[in-house]
Amino acid sequence: MTTLSDPPQSAFKPSMLLNDTRYRGYTFQFIALVCVAALFAYLGSNLLQNLRDAGLVISFNFLGDAANYDINQTLIEYNNQMDHWRAALVGVLNTLLVSFLACITATIFGVFAGVARLSQNWLMRKLMSAYVEAFRNVPVLIWIIIIFTVMTAVMPAPRDFRGEDAAASMVLFDSVAFTNRGVYVPKPIFGPGGWAVVLVFIASLVGAVWYRRYATKLLYETGKLLPTGWPTLAIIFLPAILAYFVLGQPISLEYPELGGFNFTGGINILGSLIALWFALAIYTGAFIAENVRAGILSVSKGQTEAAASLGLRPRRIMNLVILPQALRVIIPPLISHYLNITKNSSLAIAVGYMDLTGTLGGITLNQTGRAIECILLLMAFYLTISLSISAIMNVYNNSVKLKER
Amino acid sequence: MKKTVILGALTAAGLSAGAAGAQTLDAVKERGTLNCGVTTGLVGFAAPDANGEWEGFDVGVCRAVAAAVLGDPTAVEFVPTTGKTRFTALASGEIDMLARNTTWTFSRDVDLKFEFVGVNYYDGQGFMVPKALGVSSATELNGATVCIQTGTTTELNLADYFRNNNMEYTPVPIETNAEAQQQYLAGACDVYTTDASGLAATRAAFEAPADHVVLPEIISKEPLGPLVRHGDNDWGDVVRWTLNALIAAEEYGITSANIDEMAANGNPEVKRILGSEGDLGAMFGLEADWAKRAIAAGGNYGELFAKNIGESTPIGLSRGLNAQWTEGGLLYAPPFR
């Protein structure tokens, strides 16, 4: 019996780099890599040469200089004597705020519209397809401007609230004012012990989540069904209300009042924030609706029928059978929609919302003239934000995706 | 991947910076048109008329330069720029000169590497409020909401002014004058602040200009003038002396109507300006009658002023500081010799 031996190894010859299919691929990739690197090196040195010729050097020192401009919405302490770096941080936080609000709202709109588009109700179904088609097919910038313009044109100015027979009045027991400068709402003032109430409330939220998980686990393991609706509400609100009264009502509200030119006191939610927030939420919500619809349709109809034959009601079929499976299809595109919201929030300047593009990429860039540095920083910031969102969402995706055992 | 994106942006910047290095005068002559940066629209200074033709005080400077260099005041490509885009447009070579209510400041001159060739309008920042608010002085503006064009010197002056006077305000940042006007009229801000000339021009475009008052305080010096890139001195000279020619023409009484007669019979200085004696134009590579063409394009400084923003126009600005030095103003053209 003959034994099989490996074919004799021929010695490596340089010509094999071209002739041997084992090496040819690497050769060409290496050549391509060198070409690309050379191209970029040339462009980079060209840029530096030109900047030097123009007498400009790349330097980030300007970030330490006083910004000298004011920002109308600051989540952290800021005044115009602080430096450009601080102004950029204010912008980052404003970007994160509007993105966060828009992501939450878009998800709610999207899930509702996506499910409703598959509803048995003809009117509901058609209304939702009209919503999805109308919002998906018009650029988000247009929506931002439409909402903002309508708000400034339709809402009354603060001066309309003045006088005996004022043209406008506040709503909700004189606590909320809708004006063309935004919405003025009461501001909570924390007395001693006020924060304890907030802590109790946060703890209750955690408790409510834990309770719902426990209920689901119990259902899956023993089939025993605990009520979730009213106990959740009770867990969230009862301890906080109790703590509020036990500690002697430590939180009071500061109501907005008409001052010299504007309402003073309370919190002013800027019109530009509202316009940007809703435009992004409604626009992206339409895309998410389609993802949700696709996710639901991806679950075989047999699953619904099997669940129904077990006697489950439609709402439970959706919650317990369809949505958990649909999430696997819904989550990955949802991540990119969250990224889109964050990136689209840079259209804020259209309505004068001072996000990162407005502060660092707008006023700072313009006042210092450091365009290249500012744009590099802008890119770094957005890259960091996007990669972080992506990382967090991927962790969530891993927890809901199909477990292969 | 990260690296590629960054380098891509640098590439774009690098390529455009390369284009800016060329000698502008030759480039303009070769191209046959002048690329002139103007505002996106400020009536009286630079705005397209009903036929889409740009007209205004700043536009007049562009046309004069085009006439001096190319012999044709219409050979101008007007590039509308916002407060934010103007400097990038100039630095990258997209425009050859900027004539756009731009304030001559130290950092723009020194740090941004631009060269202001002179001042065509001495201005100052003011405030406009609706008459109904009953405000008569800027010191009463504590707590007001202020519309402001973002990326301008006015934004910084505003912050300084309110800080110095211990007053609070809410800024509403806006990109263009047209948007600011709309926001102000809708009552989204109580006050609109920009250069006093800009306020006058904006108010003139309102349906009821009398319902709005410009407050007496002028809180800054805003010398507005055309600018070019640093480092191309020949081109800077052309723009500078075109502007000076317009100013000197008014001083010596050269108008678009009498220009031919003055060229023949004027005093020696006038003849030097108009090229009928000596050849100043040859010193910077233009024809001898360069200044004559520039003045003939839209008239001398005074004619441009009266036609576009003067007291007989809806904008109704008086000469004030912008009168000739002989009349008690600040306009002073160096000698032509």
Side-chain angles (χ1 to χ4, degrees), chain A residues 225-401:
Chain A
L225 184 62
L226 289 178
T228 50
W230 63 265
T232 309
L233 287 178
I235 293 175
I236 292 178
F237 289 108
L238 277 184
I241 294 173
L242 212 61
Y244 178 70
F245 284 104
V246 166
L247 290 168
Q249 310 192 0
I251 303 177
S252 57
L253 289 177
E254 179 191 277
Y255 291 98
E257 276 172 20
L258 258 184
F261 288 95
N262 293 318
F263 282 91
T264 52
I267 298 173
N268 180 12
I269 304 169
L270 288 179
S272 51
L273 169 64
I274 297 174
L276 189 63
W277 166 14
F278 275 99
L280 288 174
I282 295 178
Y283 175 77
T284 317
F287 286 88
I288 294 177
E290 287 296 86
N291 291 338
V292 171
R293 188 167 72 109
I296 293 172
L297 288 177
S298 76
V299 180
S300 144
K301 201 168 187 317
Q303 299 267 346
T304 316
E305 289 165 352
S309 70
L310 288 174
L312 288 178
R313 304 224 193 96
R315 204 169 63 87
R316 286 206 192 286
I317 295 177
M318 185 54 90
N319 283 338
L320 296 174
V321 180
I322 309 296
L323 274 184
Q325 300 184 73
L327 278 182
R328 290 170 200 150
V329 177
I330 296 172
I331 300 293
L334 193 64
I335 300 176
S336 61
H337 284 311
Y338 285 175
L339 296 181
N340 278 341
I341 286 184
T342 315
K343 288 180 289 178
N344 282 342
S345 71
S346 61
L347 295 167
I349 187 59
V351 288
Y353 179 73
M354 283 286 107
D355 72 332
L356 181 58
T357 320
T359 58
L360 178 68
I363 305 180
T364 293
L365 185 157
N366 209 2
Q367 298 296 3
T368 62
R370 299 272 170 197
I372 294 178
E373 292 90 334
C374 285
I375 297 293
L376 283 179
L377 275 178
L378 263 192
M379 284 162 57
F381 269 124
Y382 276 111
L383 199 64
T384 315
I385 295 173
S386 294
L387 289 179
S388 311
I389 293 176
S390 181
I392 295 168
M393 288 300 292
N394 275 320
V395 169
Y396 178 60
N397 187 33
N398 285 335
S399 73
V400 296
K401 80 175 179 197

Side-chain angles (χ1 to χ4, degrees), chain A residues 189-212:
Chain A
I189 304 287
F190 292 97
W195 289 107
V197 178
V198 175
L199 283 180
V200 168
F201 183 69
I202 294 173
S204 320
L205 280 181
V206 175
V209 171
W210 180 84
Y211 172 77
R212 290 183 76 103

Side-chain angles (χ1 to χ4, degrees), chain B residues 138-174:
Chain B
T139 54
E140 297 165 22
L141 290 179
N142 194 9
T145 302
V146 184
C147 277
I148 174 105
Q149 283 185 59
T150 171
T152 58
T153 49
T154 47
E155 191 168 43
L156 306 181
N157 298 331
L158 179 74
D160 282 352
Y161 182 78
F162 276 79
R163 183 159 54 93
N164 286 342
N165 290 289
N166 284 320
M167 298 193 296
E168 302 268 326
Y169 72 104
T170 311
V172 178
I174 284 163

Side-chain angles (χ1 to χ4, degrees), chain A residues 108-220:
Chain A
I108 296 171
F109 284 167
V111 170
F112 177 78
V115 173
R117 243 194 125 168
L118 294 170
S119 154
Q120 304 290 328
N121 183 323
W122 183 88
L123 183 64
M124 186 66 126
R125 208 165 58 228
K126 291 299 166 192
L127 270 180
M128 285 305 141
S129 17
Y131 157 67
V132 168
E133 295 310 329
F135 278 85
R136 236 159 45 118
N137 294 308
V138 174
V140 64
L141 180 61
I142 312 262
W143 287 118
I144 295 174
I145 292 173
I146 289 177
I147 294 180
F148 185 66
T149 313
V150 166
M151 269 176 45
T152 38
V154 170
M155 300 273 204
R159 58 173 174 261
D160 294 336
F161 288 79
R162 222 178 287 275
E164 280 298 307
D165 50 343
S169 57
M170 295 167 77
V171 294
L172 283 180
F173 309 108
D174 272 0
S175 64
V176 177
F178 289 91
T179 74
N180 59 4
R181 292 174 194 177
V183 179
Y184 291 83
V185 296
K187 175 179 170 186
I189 304 287
F190 292 97
W195 289 107
V197 178
V198 175
L199 283 180
V200 168
F201 183 69
I202 294 173
S204 320
L205 280 181
V206 175
V209 171
W210 180 84
Y211 172 77
R212 290 183 76 103
R213 291 190 136 196
Y214 169 74
T216 318
K217 192 158 162 269
L218 197 70
L219 177 67
Y220 284 0

Side-chain angles (χ1 to χ4, degrees), chain A residues 71-134:
Chain A
I71 301 176
N72 52 11
Q73 176 186 297
T74 56
L75 299 178
I76 49 174
E77 177 85 20
Y78 173 81
N79 65 51
N80 60 40
Q81 292 308 292
M82 292 182 176
D83 56 21
H84 284 293
W85 183 248
R86 185 81 173 183
L89 279 187
V90 171
V92 170
L93 289 178
N94 284 348
T95 291
L96 289 178
L97 173 71
V98 75
S99 310
F100 177 74
L101 292 174
C103 283
I104 304 259
T105 323
T107 312
I108 296 171
F109 284 167
V111 170
F112 177 78
V115 173
R117 243 194 125 168
L118 294 170
S119 154
Q120 304 290 328
N121 183 323
W122 183 88
L123 183 64
M124 186 66 126
R125 208 165 58 228
K126 291 299 166 192
L127 270 180
M128 285 305 141
S129 17
Y131 157 67
V132 168
E133 295 310 329

